[in-house]
Amino acid sequence: MEKWLETARRYDADDQLSKYRDEFYIGENLYYMDGNSLGLMSRRAEASVLDVMDDWKTLGIDGWTEGERPWFYMSERIGELMAGLIGADPVSVLATNSTTVNIHQTVRTLYQPTEDRYKILVDELNFPSDIYAVQAVLDDYGHGDGLLKAKSRDGHNLETEDIIALMDESVALILLPAVLYRSGQILDMERLTRAAHEKGIIIGFDLCHSIGAIPHELKDWGVDFAVWCTYKHLNGGPGSVAGLYVHPKHHHKQVSLRGWFGNNKESQFDMDHTFDPAADISQYQIGTPHILSMAPLLGALEIFNEAGIADVREKSLKLTGFMLEMLDAEFEKYGFEIVTPRPADARGGHVLIGHENAAGINAALKSRGVIPDFRAPSFVRIAPVALYNSFEDVYHALKILKEIMDDGTYKKFGNRRGVVA
Ligand SMILES: *Cc1c(COP(=O)(O)O)cnc(C)c1O
């Protein structure tokens, strides 16, 4: 194993992003590999929360329009800060609601079923909340049987051709993940969008596991809409306000879930009972924005905009590449299955490995300071994050994994998941 340590140190010495590590709170002797579930807190995120608290303390109600960070415009302001991460014009991006609410909002607004065209195409590997929301929309529109699921051949990844083969004249809308939350596979968003549009289908992506890990060119690809959470790779803190993109060509459509914060800002306080929708993405807001849950993003996103998503992606690929190389070379005898696709353009920011004792292995790793996460039924997900993990972290995490496999300590932990796995 020694030679891997030397390689790790050489990579770290070369790492242009290593200066950001000190900006994050990382526990002593902790190898945090779970930044794709909950990103760590940075000093800048902490400071921006305290700044917003200070505005509340000193300005009271005037915090809505006064100070350096007026709350009334904070959803749009944070949208601007995220635009570069998804390749979109700032005016078509917003921070608002939660991811699940944004799925309800975008799908309800853009889904316009007819008698012949009413299906919504999803995939069988997506996160449950996305499927619940889509099914609810179908039920409410009287098309409860309209959920069409692309199947996976191996139970882990999807083939682009298989998804495209399902795009026919009966499909009204498509919602797919950009990066699969388990296997880490990246879907070919550009090709899928082109194929959907050839059939006249609206297509959107859930970027929960891709934003902050890989670059996107949503505008160039012509993607109709996207949603994402901000507490994973974007480090916005637990429950931080989600993101939303809608292509400008749809901005004239009135949103389905209406509230006074979707009203034209100029007339919002006229308090008229007729909804006067904002002419742009702001229409997708519903009620009063969750200012305190947005505040950390002001600091957290500043780091991304400074570091640049291209460099983040380059380092992330090198981190997961290093991990895969070590797994191939040193772990053959333990019976791990590596589920994540190998090609760089098909691999997001995390690696999924399968083992029949995965829950016990996950618990044993945590007891030794390595923090991955377990995904039922039998997988451990490991995410080395470019902004705060080092190559030496990856080395230590895998060295500890090897130790618990060699000495069998994982067997002591039983093989059951916790309530929050
Ligand atoms: C994390 C995640 C969610 C979470 O949605 P919330 O509304 O923030 O709870 C939804 N979808 C996917 C694909 C996710 O990875």
Side-chain angles (χ1 to χ4, degrees), residues 238-253:
S240 56
V241 172
L244 173 73
Y245 166 78
V246 176
H247 192 285
K249 72 180 174 202
H250 299 301
H251 288 182
H252 67 282
K253 292 181 189 156

Side-chain angles (χ1 to χ4, degrees), residues 98-100 126-127 130 181 206 208-209 229 231-232:
S98 67
T99 299
T100 307
N126 204 346
F127 194 84
D130 299 45
Y181 78 104
D206 182 324
C208 277
H209 280 276
C229 51
Y231 46 81
K232 293 173 180 166

